[in-house]
Structures are given as C-alpha cells and as structure tokens.
Coordinates of all heavy atoms in Angstrom, one line a residue:
M1 N 0.9 -1.2 0.0 CA 0.0 0.0 0.0 C 0.9 1.2 0.0 O 1.9 1.3 0.7 CB -0.9 0.0 1.2 CG -1.7 1.2 1.5 SD -2.9 1.7 0.2 CE -4.4 0.8 0.8
A2 N 0.5 2.2 -0.8 CA 1.3 3.4 -0.9 C 1.1 4.3 0.4 O 0.1 4.1 1.1 CB 0.8 4.2 -2.1
T3 N 2.0 5.1 0.7 CA 1.9 6.0 1.8 C 0.9 7.0 1.5 O 0.8 7.6 0.4 CB 3.3 6.7 2.1 OG1 4.3 5.7 2.2 CG2 3.2 7.6 3.2
K4 N 0.0 7.3 2.5 CA -1.0 8.3 2.3 C -0.5 9.7 2.5 O 0.3 10.0 3.3 CB -2.1 8.1 3.4 CG -2.9 6.8 3.3 CD -3.9 6.7 4.4 CE -4.6 5.3 4.3 NZ -5.6 5.2 5.4
P5 N -1.0 10.6 1.6 CA -0.7 12.0 1.8 C -1.3 12.5 3.0 O -2.2 11.9 3.6 CB -1.3 12.6 0.5 CG -2.3 11.7 0.0 CD -1.9 10.3 0.5
P6 N -0.9 13.7 3.4 CA -1.5 14.3 4.7 C -3.1 14.5 4.5 O -3.6 14.5 3.4 CB -0.9 15.7 4.8 CG 0.2 15.7 3.8 CD 0.0 14.6 2.8
T7 N -3.7 14.5 5.6 CA -5.2 14.7 5.6 C -5.5 16.0 5.0 O -4.9 17.0 5.4 CB -5.8 14.6 7.1 OG1 -5.4 13.4 7.6 CG2 -7.3 14.8 7.1
P8 N -6.4 16.0 4.0 CA -6.7 17.3 3.3 C -7.4 18.3 4.2 O -8.1 17.9 5.1 CB -7.6 16.8 2.1 CG -7.9 15.4 2.4 CD -7.1 14.9 3.5
T9 N -7.3 19.5 3.8 CA -8.0 20.6 4.5 C -9.3 21.0 3.8 O -10.1 21.7 4.4 CB -7.1 21.8 4.8 OG1 -6.6 22.2 3.5 CG2 -5.9 21.4 5.6
G10 N -9.4 20.7 2.6 CA -10.6 21.1 1.8 C -11.0 20.1 0.8 O -10.3 19.1 0.6
L11 N -12.1 20.3 0.2 CA -12.7 19.4 -0.8 C -11.8 19.2 -2.0 O -11.7 18.1 -2.6 CB -14.1 19.8 -1.3 CG -15.2 19.7 -0.3 CD1 -16.5 20.2 -0.9 CD2 -15.3 18.2 0.2
N12 N -11.0 20.2 -2.4 CA -10.2 20.1 -3.6 C -8.7 19.7 -3.2 O -7.9 19.7 -4.1 CB -10.2 21.4 -4.3 CG -11.6 21.7 -4.9 OD1 -12.3 20.8 -5.3 ND2 -12.0 22.9 -4.8
D13 N -8.4 19.4 -2.0 CA -7.0 19.1 -1.6 C -6.7 17.6 -1.5 O -5.6 17.3 -1.1 CB -6.8 19.7 -0.2 CG -6.9 21.2 -0.2 OD1 -6.7 21.9 -1.2 OD2 -7.2 21.8 0.9
W14 N -7.6 16.8 -1.9 CA -7.4 15.3 -1.8 C -6.5 14.8 -2.9 O -6.8 14.8 -4.1 CB -8.7 14.6 -1.9 CG -9.5 14.7 -0.7 CD1 -10.3 15.8 -0.3 CD2 -9.7 13.8 0.3 NE1 -10.9 15.6 0.9 CE2 -10.6 14.4 1.3 CE3 -9.3 12.5 0.6 CZ2 -11.0 13.7 2.4 CZ3 -9.7 11.8 1.7 CH2 -10.5 12.4 2.6
D15 N -5.3 14.4 -2.5 CA -4.4 13.7 -3.5 C -4.8 12.2 -3.5 O -5.0 11.6 -2.4 CB -2.9 13.8 -3.1 CG -2.4 15.3 -3.3 OD1 -2.9 15.9 -4.2 OD2 -1.6 15.7 -2.5
R16 N -4.9 11.7 -4.7 CA -5.2 10.2 -4.8 C -4.0 9.3 -4.6 O -2.9 9.7 -4.9 CB -5.8 10.0 -6.2 CG -7.1 10.7 -6.4 CD -8.2 10.3 -5.5 NE -9.4 11.1 -5.6 CZ -10.6 10.7 -5.4 NH1 -10.8 9.4 -5.0 NH2 -11.6 11.5 -5.5
I17 N -4.3 8.2 -4.0 CA -3.3 7.2 -3.8 C -3.4 6.2 -5.0 O -4.4 5.8 -5.4 CB -3.6 6.4 -2.5 CG1 -3.5 7.3 -1.3 CG2 -2.6 5.2 -2.4 CD1 -4.1 6.7 0.0
T18 N -2.2 5.9 -5.6 CA -2.2 5.0 -6.8 C -2.6 3.6 -6.4 O -2.1 3.1 -5.4 CB -0.8 5.0 -7.4 OG1 -0.4 6.4 -7.7 CG2 -0.7 4.1 -8.6
V19 N -3.5 3.1 -7.1 CA -4.0 1.7 -6.8 C -3.8 0.9 -8.1 O -4.2 1.2 -9.2 CB -5.5 1.8 -6.4 CG1 -6.1 0.4 -6.2 CG2 -5.8 2.6 -5.2
D20 N -3.2 -0.3 -7.9 CA -3.1 -1.3 -9.0 C -4.4 -2.0 -9.2 O -4.8 -2.8 -8.3 CB -1.9 -2.2 -8.6 CG -1.7 -3.3 -9.7 OD1 -2.4 -3.2 -10.8 OD2 -0.9 -4.2 -9.5
T21 N -5.0 -1.8 -10.3 CA -6.3 -2.4 -10.5 C -6.2 -3.5 -11.6 O -7.2 -4.0 -12.1 CB -7.3 -1.4 -11.0 OG1 -6.8 -0.8 -12.2 CG2 -7.6 -0.3 -10.0
N22 N -5.0 -3.9 -11.9 CA -4.8 -5.0 -12.9 C -5.4 -6.3 -12.4 O -5.4 -6.6 -11.2 CB -3.3 -5.1 -13.2 CG -2.8 -4.0 -14.0 OD1 -3.3 -3.6 -15.0 ND2 -1.7 -3.4 -13.5
P23 N -5.8 -7.2 -13.4 CA -6.2 -8.5 -13.0 C -5.2 -9.2 -12.1 O -4.0 -9.1 -12.4 CB -6.4 -9.3 -14.3 CG -6.6 -8.1 -15.3 CD -5.8 -7.0 -14.8
G24 N -5.6 -9.9 -11.0 CA -4.7 -10.6 -10.1 C -4.2 -9.7 -9.0 O -3.5 -10.2 -8.1
S25 N -4.4 -8.4 -9.1 CA -3.9 -7.5 -8.0 C -4.7 -7.7 -6.8 O -5.8 -8.3 -6.8 CB -4.0 -6.0 -8.5 OG -5.3 -5.6 -8.6
D26 N -4.2 -7.2 -5.7 CA -5.0 -7.2 -4.4 C -6.3 -6.5 -4.6 O -7.4 -7.0 -4.1 CB -4.2 -6.6 -3.3 CG -3.0 -7.5 -2.8 OD1 -2.9 -8.7 -3.2 OD2 -2.1 -7.0 -2.1
F27 N -6.3 -5.4 -5.3 CA -7.6 -4.7 -5.5 C -8.6 -5.6 -6.3 O -9.7 -5.6 -5.9 CB -7.3 -3.4 -6.3 CG -8.6 -2.7 -6.7 CD1 -9.3 -1.9 -5.8 CD2 -9.2 -3.0 -8.0 CE1 -10.6 -1.4 -6.2 CE2 -10.4 -2.4 -8.4 CZ -11.1 -1.6 -7.5
A28 N -8.1 -6.2 -7.3 CA -9.0 -7.1 -8.1 C -9.6 -8.2 -7.3 O -10.8 -8.5 -7.4 CB -8.2 -7.7 -9.3
I29 N -8.8 -8.7 -6.3 CA -9.4 -9.8 -5.4 C -10.4 -9.2 -4.5 O -11.5 -9.8 -4.4 CB -8.2 -10.4 -4.6 CG1 -7.3 -11.2 -5.6 CG2 -8.8 -11.4 -3.6 CD1 -6.0 -11.6 -4.9
I30 N -10.1 -8.1 -3.9 CA -11.1 -7.4 -3.0 C -12.3 -7.0 -3.8 O -13.5 -7.1 -3.3 CB -10.4 -6.3 -2.2 CG1 -9.5 -6.8 -1.2 CG2 -11.5 -5.3 -1.6 CD1 -8.7 -5.8 -0.5
D31 N -12.1 -6.5 -5.0 CA -13.3 -6.1 -5.8 C -14.2 -7.3 -6.1 O -15.4 -7.1 -6.0 CB -12.7 -5.5 -7.1 CG -13.8 -5.0 -8.0 OD1 -14.6 -4.2 -7.6 OD2 -13.8 -5.4 -9.2
R32 N -13.6 -8.4 -6.4 CA -14.4 -9.6 -6.7 C -15.2 -10.1 -5.4 O -16.3 -10.4 -5.5 CB -13.5 -10.7 -7.2 CG -14.2 -11.9 -7.7 CD -13.3 -12.9 -8.5 NE -12.0 -13.2 -7.9 CZ -10.9 -12.8 -8.4 NH1 -10.8 -12.0 -9.4 NH2 -9.7 -13.1 -7.8
V33 N -14.5 -10.0 -4.2 CA -15.2 -10.4 -3.0 C -16.4 -9.4 -2.7 O -17.5 -9.9 -2.4 CB -14.2 -10.4 -1.8 CG1 -14.9 -10.6 -0.5 CG2 -13.2 -11.5 -2.0
A34 N -16.1 -8.1 -2.9 CA -17.2 -7.1 -2.6 C -18.3 -7.3 -3.6 O -19.5 -7.2 -3.3 CB -16.6 -5.7 -2.7
S35 N -18.0 -7.5 -4.9 CA -19.0 -7.7 -5.9 C -19.8 -8.9 -5.7 O -21.1 -8.9 -5.9 CB -18.3 -7.8 -7.3 OG -17.7 -6.6 -7.7
S36 N -19.2 -10.0 -5.2 CA -20.0 -11.2 -4.9 C -20.9 -11.0 -3.8 O -22.1 -11.4 -3.8 CB -19.0 -12.3 -4.6 OG -18.2 -12.7 -5.7
A37 N -20.5 -10.2 -2.7 CA -21.4 -9.9 -1.6 C -22.6 -9.1 -2.1 O -23.7 -9.3 -1.7 CB -20.6 -9.3 -0.5
A38 N -22.2 -8.1 -2.9 CA -23.3 -7.1 -3.4 C -24.3 -7.9 -4.3 O -25.5 -7.7 -4.2 CB -22.6 -6.0 -4.1
M39 N -23.8 -8.7 -5.2 CA -24.7 -9.5 -6.0 C -25.5 -10.5 -5.3 O -26.7 -10.6 -5.6 CB -23.8 -10.3 -7.1 CG -23.2 -9.4 -8.1 SD -24.4 -8.7 -9.2 CE -23.7 -9.1 -10.7
A40 N -25.0 -11.1 -4.2 CA -25.8 -12.0 -3.4 C -26.9 -11.3 -2.7 O -28.0 -11.7 -2.7 CB -24.9 -12.7 -2.4
W41 N -26.6 -10.1 -2.2 CA -27.7 -9.3 -1.6 C -28.7 -8.9 -2.6 O -29.9 -9.0 -2.4 CB -27.1 -8.0 -0.9 CG -28.2 -7.1 -0.4 CD1 -28.8 -7.3 0.8 CD2 -28.8 -6.0 -1.0 NE1 -29.8 -6.3 0.9 CE2 -29.8 -5.5 -0.2 CE3 -28.6 -5.4 -2.2 CZ2 -30.5 -4.4 -0.5 CZ3 -29.3 -4.3 -2.6 CH2 -30.3 -3.8 -1.7
A42 N -28.3 -8.4 -3.8 CA -29.2 -7.9 -4.8 C -30.0 -9.0 -5.4 O -31.2 -8.8 -5.7 CB -28.4 -7.2 -5.9
C43 N -29.5 -10.1 -5.6 CA -30.2 -11.2 -6.3 C -30.9 -12.2 -5.4 O -31.9 -12.8 -5.7 CB -29.2 -12.0 -7.2 SG -28.5 -10.9 -8.5
N44 N -30.3 -12.5 -4.2 CA -30.8 -13.5 -3.3 C -31.5 -13.1 -2.0 O -32.3 -13.9 -1.5 CB -29.7 -14.5 -3.0 CG -29.1 -15.1 -4.3 OD1 -29.7 -15.3 -5.3 ND2 -27.8 -15.3 -4.2
S45 N -31.2 -11.9 -1.5 CA -31.7 -11.5 -0.3 C -33.2 -11.1 -0.4 O -33.6 -10.5 -1.4 CB -31.0 -10.3 0.3 OG -31.6 -9.7 1.3
P46 N -34.0 -11.4 0.6 CA -35.4 -11.0 0.5 C -35.5 -9.5 0.5 O -36.6 -8.9 0.1 CB -36.1 -11.6 1.7 CG -35.0 -12.1 2.6 CD -33.8 -12.2 1.7
N47 N -34.5 -8.8 0.9 CA -34.5 -7.3 1.0 C -33.8 -6.7 -0.2 O -33.7 -5.5 -0.3 CB -33.8 -6.8 2.2 CG -34.6 -7.2 3.5 OD1 -35.8 -7.2 3.5 ND2 -33.9 -7.6 4.5
G48 N -33.4 -7.5 -1.2 CA -32.7 -7.1 -2.4 C -33.7 -6.7 -3.5 O -34.8 -7.0 -3.4
P49 N -33.2 -5.9 -4.5 CA -34.1 -5.4 -5.5 C -34.7 -6.4 -6.4 O -35.7 -6.1 -7.0 CB -33.2 -4.4 -6.3 CG -31.8 -4.9 -6.0 CD -31.8 -5.5 -4.6
L50 N -34.2 -7.6 -6.5 CA -34.9 -8.6 -7.3 C -36.0 -9.3 -6.6 O -36.9 -9.8 -7.3 CB -33.9 -9.7 -7.8 CG -32.8 -9.2 -8.8 CD1 -32.0 -10.4 -9.3 CD2 -33.5 -8.5 -10.0
K51 N -36.0 -9.2 -5.3 CA -37.1 -9.8 -4.6 C -38.1 -8.7 -4.0 O -39.3 -9.0 -3.8 CB -36.6 -10.6 -3.4 CG -35.6 -11.7 -3.7 CD -36.3 -13.0 -4.1 CE -35.2 -13.9 -4.6 NZ -35.0 -15.1 -4.0
K52 N -37.6 -7.5 -3.9 CA -38.4 -6.4 -3.3 C -38.1 -5.2 -4.2 O -37.1 -4.5 -4.0 CB -37.9 -6.2 -1.9 CG -38.6 -5.1 -1.1 CD -38.0 -5.0 0.3 CE -38.4 -3.8 1.0 NZ -37.7 -3.7 2.3
P53 N -38.9 -4.9 -5.2 CA -38.6 -3.8 -6.1 C -38.4 -2.5 -5.3 O -39.0 -2.2 -4.3 CB -39.9 -3.7 -7.0 CG -40.4 -5.1 -6.9 CD -40.1 -5.6 -5.5
M54 N -37.4 -1.7 -5.8 CA -37.1 -0.5 -5.2 C -36.5 0.5 -6.2 O -36.0 0.0 -7.3 CB -36.1 -0.7 -4.0 CG -34.7 -1.4 -4.5 SD -33.6 -1.8 -3.2 CE -34.6 -3.1 -2.3
P55 N -36.4 1.8 -5.9 CA -35.8 2.7 -6.8 C -34.3 2.4 -7.0 O -33.7 1.8 -6.1 CB -36.0 4.1 -6.1 CG -37.1 3.9 -5.1 CD -37.0 2.4 -4.7
L56 N -33.8 2.8 -8.1 CA -32.4 2.5 -8.4 C -31.4 3.1 -7.3 O -30.5 2.4 -6.9 CB -32.0 3.1 -9.8 CG -30.6 2.9 -10.2 CD1 -30.2 1.4 -10.3 CD2 -30.3 3.6 -11.6
M57 N -31.7 4.3 -6.8 CA -30.8 4.9 -5.8 C -30.8 4.0 -4.6 O -29.7 3.8 -3.9 CB -31.2 6.3 -5.5 CG -30.9 7.2 -6.7 SD -31.2 9.0 -6.3 CE -32.9 9.0 -5.9
T58 N -31.9 3.4 -4.2 CA -32.0 2.6 -3.0 C -31.2 1.3 -3.2 O -30.5 0.8 -2.4 CB -33.5 2.3 -2.7 OG1 -34.2 3.5 -2.5 CG2 -33.6 1.5 -1.4
A59 N -31.3 0.7 -4.4 CA -30.6 -0.5 -4.8 C -29.1 -0.2 -4.8 O -28.3 -1.0 -4.2 CB -31.0 -1.0 -6.1
I60 N -28.6 0.9 -5.3 CA -27.2 1.2 -5.3 C -26.7 1.4 -3.9 O -25.7 0.8 -3.6 CB -27.0 2.5 -6.2 CG1 -27.2 2.2 -7.7 CG2 -25.5 3.0 -5.9 CD1 -27.2 3.4 -8.5
D61 N -27.5 2.1 -3.1 CA -27.1 2.3 -1.7 C -27.0 0.9 -1.0 O -26.0 0.7 -0.2 CB -28.1 3.1 -1.0 CG -27.7 3.5 0.4 OD1 -26.6 4.0 0.6 OD2 -28.5 3.3 1.3
G62 N -27.9 0.0 -1.3 CA -27.9 -1.3 -0.7 C -26.7 -2.2 -1.1 O -26.0 -2.8 -0.3
V63 N -26.3 -2.2 -2.4 CA -25.2 -3.0 -2.8 C -23.9 -2.4 -2.3 O -23.0 -3.2 -1.9 CB -25.2 -3.2 -4.4 CG1 -26.4 -4.0 -4.8 CG2 -25.1 -2.0 -5.1
V64 N -23.7 -1.1 -2.3 CA -22.5 -0.5 -1.8 C -22.4 -0.8 -0.3 O -21.3 -1.2 0.2 CB -22.5 1.0 -2.1 CG1 -21.3 1.7 -1.3 CG2 -22.4 1.3 -3.5
H65 N -23.5 -0.6 0.4 CA -23.5 -0.9 1.9 C -23.1 -2.4 2.1 O -22.2 -2.7 3.0 CB -24.9 -0.7 2.4 CG -25.1 -1.2 3.8 ND1 -24.9 -0.4 4.9 CD2 -25.5 -2.4 4.3 CE1 -25.1 -1.1 6.0 NE2 -25.5 -2.3 5.7
E66 N -23.7 -3.3 1.4 CA -23.4 -4.7 1.6 C -21.9 -5.0 1.3 O -21.3 -5.8 2.0 CB -24.3 -5.6 0.7 CG -24.3 -7.1 1.1 CD -24.7 -7.4 2.5 OE1 -25.5 -6.7 3.1 OE2 -24.2 -8.4 3.0
A67 N -21.4 -4.5 0.2 CA -20.0 -4.7 -0.2 C -19.0 -4.2 0.8 O -18.1 -4.9 1.2 CB -19.8 -4.1 -1.6
I68 N -19.2 -3.0 1.3 CA -18.3 -2.4 2.2 C -18.4 -3.1 3.6 O -17.4 -3.5 4.2 CB -18.5 -0.9 2.4 CG1 -18.2 -0.2 1.1 CG2 -17.8 -0.3 3.6 CD1 -18.6 1.3 1.1
L69 N -19.6 -3.4 4.0 CA -19.8 -4.1 5.3 C -19.2 -5.5 5.2 O -18.5 -5.9 6.2 CB -21.3 -4.3 5.6 CG -21.7 -5.0 6.8 CD1 -21.1 -4.3 8.1 CD2 -23.2 -5.2 6.9
H70 N -19.3 -6.2 4.1 CA -18.7 -7.5 4.0 C -17.2 -7.5 4.1 O -16.6 -8.3 4.8 CB -19.1 -8.1 2.6 CG -18.8 -9.6 2.5 ND1 -19.5 -10.6 3.2 CD2 -17.9 -10.2 1.8 CE1 -19.0 -11.8 2.8 NE2 -18.0 -11.6 2.0
L71 N -16.6 -6.5 3.4 CA -15.1 -6.4 3.4 C -14.6 -6.0 4.8 O -13.6 -6.5 5.3 CB -14.6 -5.3 2.4 CG -14.8 -5.7 1.0 CD1 -14.4 -4.5 0.1 CD2 -14.1 -6.9 0.6
L72 N -15.4 -5.1 5.5 CA -15.0 -4.8 6.9 C -15.1 -6.0 7.8 O -14.3 -6.2 8.7 CB -15.9 -3.6 7.4 CG -15.6 -2.2 6.8 CD1 -16.7 -1.3 7.1 CD2 -14.3 -1.7 7.4
E73 N -16.2 -6.7 7.7 CA -16.5 -7.9 8.6 C -15.4 -9.0 8.4 O -15.0 -9.7 9.3 CB -17.8 -8.5 8.3 CG -19.0 -7.6 8.8 CD -20.3 -8.2 8.4 OE1 -20.5 -8.9 7.4 OE2 -21.3 -7.8 9.1
L74 N -14.9 -9.1 7.1 CA -13.8 -10.0 6.9 C -12.4 -9.5 7.3 O -11.4 -10.2 7.3 CB -13.8 -10.4 5.4 CG -15.0 -11.2 4.8 CD1 -14.8 -11.3 3.3 CD2 -15.1 -12.5 5.5
G75 N -12.3 -8.2 7.6 CA -11.1 -7.6 8.0 C -10.2 -7.3 6.8 O -9.0 -7.1 7.0
L76 N -10.7 -7.3 5.6 CA -9.9 -7.0 4.4 C -9.6 -5.5 4.3 O -8.7 -5.2 3.6 CB -10.6 -7.6 3.2 CG -10.7 -9.1 3.2 CD1 -11.5 -9.6 2.0 CD2 -9.3 -9.7 3.1
I77 N -10.5 -4.7 4.8 CA -10.2 -3.2 4.8 C -10.4 -2.7 6.2 O -11.1 -3.3 7.0 CB -11.2 -2.5 3.8 CG1 -12.6 -2.7 4.2 CG2 -10.9 -3.0 2.4 CD1 -13.6 -1.8 3.4
D78 N -9.8 -1.6 6.4 CA -9.9 -0.9 7.7 C -10.4 0.6 7.4 O -10.1 1.1 6.4 CB -8.6 -0.8 8.4 CG -8.1 -2.2 8.8 OD1 -8.9 -3.0 9.4 OD2 -6.9 -2.5 8.5
I79 N -11.0 1.2 8.4 CA -11.4 2.6 8.3 C -10.4 3.4 9.0 O -10.0 3.2 10.1 CB -12.8 2.8 8.9 CG1 -13.9 2.0 8.2 CG2 -13.1 4.3 9.0 CD1 -15.3 2.1 8.9
D80 N -9.8 4.4 8.3 CA -8.9 5.3 8.8 C -9.7 6.4 9.5 O -10.0 7.4 8.9 CB -8.0 5.9 7.7 CG -6.9 6.8 8.1 OD1 -7.0 7.3 9.3 OD2 -6.0 7.0 7.4
T81 N -10.0 6.2 10.8 CA -10.9 7.1 11.5 C -10.2 8.5 11.7 O -10.9 9.5 11.7 CB -11.3 6.5 12.9 OG1 -10.1 6.2 13.6 CG2 -12.1 5.3 12.7
E82 N -8.9 8.5 11.8 CA -8.2 9.8 12.0 C -8.4 10.6 10.7 O -8.8 11.8 10.8 CB -6.7 9.6 12.2 CG -6.0 10.9 12.5 CD -4.5 10.6 12.8 OE1 -4.2 9.6 13.5 OE2 -3.7 11.4 12.3
R83 N -8.2 10.0 9.6 CA -8.4 10.7 8.3 C -9.9 11.0 8.0 O -10.2 12.1 7.6 CB -7.9 9.8 7.2 CG -7.7 10.5 5.8 CD -7.0 9.6 4.9 NE -6.7 10.2 3.6 CZ -5.8 11.0 3.3 NH1 -4.9 11.4 4.3 NH2 -5.6 11.5 2.1
L84 N -10.8 10.1 8.4 CA -12.2 10.3 8.2 C -12.7 11.5 9.0 O -13.4 12.3 8.4 CB -13.0 9.0 8.6 CG -14.5 9.1 8.5 CD1 -14.9 9.2 7.1 CD2 -15.1 7.8 9.2
H85 N -12.3 11.6 10.2 CA -12.8 12.7 11.1 C -12.0 13.9 11.0 O -12.4 15.0 11.5 CB -13.0 12.2 12.5 CG -14.0 11.1 12.7 ND1 -15.3 11.3 12.5 CD2 -13.8 9.8 12.9 CE1 -15.9 10.1 12.6 NE2 -15.0 9.2 12.9
G86 N -10.8 13.8 10.5 CA -9.9 15.0 10.4 C -10.1 15.8 9.2 O -9.6 17.0 9.1
A87 N -10.8 15.3 8.2 CA -11.1 16.1 6.9 C -12.3 16.9 7.1 O -13.2 16.6 7.8 CB -11.3 15.1 5.8
S88 N -12.3 18.0 6.3 CA -13.5 18.9 6.4 C -14.6 18.5 5.5 O -15.7 19.0 5.5 CB -13.0 20.3 6.1 OG -12.5 20.4 4.8
G89 N -14.3 17.5 4.6 CA -15.4 17.1 3.7 C -14.7 16.1 2.7 O -13.5 15.8 2.8
W90 N -15.5 15.5 1.9 CA -15.0 14.4 1.0 C -15.4 14.7 -0.5 O -16.6 14.9 -0.7 CB -15.5 13.1 1.4 CG -15.1 12.8 2.8 CD1 -14.0 12.3 3.3 CD2 -15.9 13.1 3.9 NE1 -14.0 12.2 4.6 CE2 -15.2 12.7 5.1 CE3 -17.2 13.6 4.1 CZ2 -15.7 12.9 6.4 CZ3 -17.7 13.8 5.4 CH2 -16.9 13.4 6.5
P91 N -14.5 14.8 -1.4 CA -14.9 15.0 -2.8 C -15.7 13.8 -3.3 O -15.5 12.7 -3.0 CB -13.6 15.2 -3.5 CG -12.6 14.4 -2.7 CD -13.1 14.5 -1.3
L92 N -16.7 14.1 -4.2 CA -17.5 13.0 -4.8 C -17.0 12.6 -6.1 O -17.4 11.6 -6.6 CB -18.9 13.5 -4.9 CG -19.6 13.8 -3.5 CD1 -21.0 14.3 -3.8 CD2 -19.6 12.6 -2.6
H93 N -16.1 13.4 -6.7 CA -15.6 13.0 -8.1 C -14.1 12.9 -8.1 O -13.4 13.6 -7.4 CB -16.1 14.1 -9.1 CG -17.6 14.3 -9.1 ND1 -18.5 13.4 -9.6 CD2 -18.3 15.3 -8.5 CE1 -19.7 13.9 -9.4 NE2 -19.6 15.0 -8.8
R94 N -13.6 12.0 -8.9 CA -12.2 11.9 -9.1 C -11.6 13.0 -10.0 O -12.3 13.4 -11.0 CB -11.8 10.5 -9.7 CG -12.1 9.4 -8.8 CD -11.5 8.1 -9.5 NE -11.7 7.0 -8.7 CZ -12.6 6.1 -8.8 NH1 -13.5 6.2 -9.8 NH2 -12.7 5.1 -8.0
K95 N -10.4 13.4 -9.7 CA -9.7 14.3 -10.6 C -9.3 13.4 -11.8 O -8.8 12.4 -11.6 CB -8.5 14.9 -10.0 CG -8.8 15.9 -8.9 CD -7.5 16.4 -8.3 CE -7.7 17.2 -7.0 NZ -6.5 17.6 -6.4
R96 N -9.5 13.9 -13.0 CA -9.1 13.1 -14.2 C -7.9 13.7 -14.8 O -7.7 14.9 -14.9 CB -10.3 13.0 -15.2 CG -11.5 12.4 -14.7 CD -11.4 10.9 -14.8 NE -12.6 10.3 -14.3 CZ -12.7 9.1 -13.9 NH1 -11.7 8.3 -14.0 NH2 -13.8 8.6 -13.4

C-alpha cells in the first residue's frame, strides 16, 4: 500500500493514492469479494431489489452498503478514522 498523503483541509485538496487495478492485483481480489457480496444481496436477499422492487438509488445504496460491510467484517479493509474525522469534507468526483 502506498503512503497516504496528509489529511486534506478542503474538498479540492485530496491527493489520490495510486491503486493497482490490474487482474490478479490485491484490488482485483477485494473487488471480486465485494462484488460477490453485493450481487448475493441484490439477487438472493429478500431485501434485495430482485425480490423487493425499489428505486435505483436505493438499490445502489444497498449494494454499496453490503459490499463495504462484507469487506469490513472479513477484516480485508480498515477505516482510517483519523483521516475520516480529520477532513473537512470528501470530494465526490475523481480528478481526471
């Protein structure tokens, strides 16, 4: 994992950490685990959108929630609470 830049002071101060997204990378493995958890919720859960119709935004919120929760429960990711609470806000879009 790359060293994190300092906690940003504003919405536009976030420097991105380089992530290897190539097939077989650690990211690719975690992505597959998270996607599997999200798909299981969406397709098989009685609370998922295939069993209980819902607006697209609710379904997206549900699959993201399930994926992140699954990775946290497995201990594959950690929350950087110092960075989370030390920032004044979080940008919603990536710099391209």
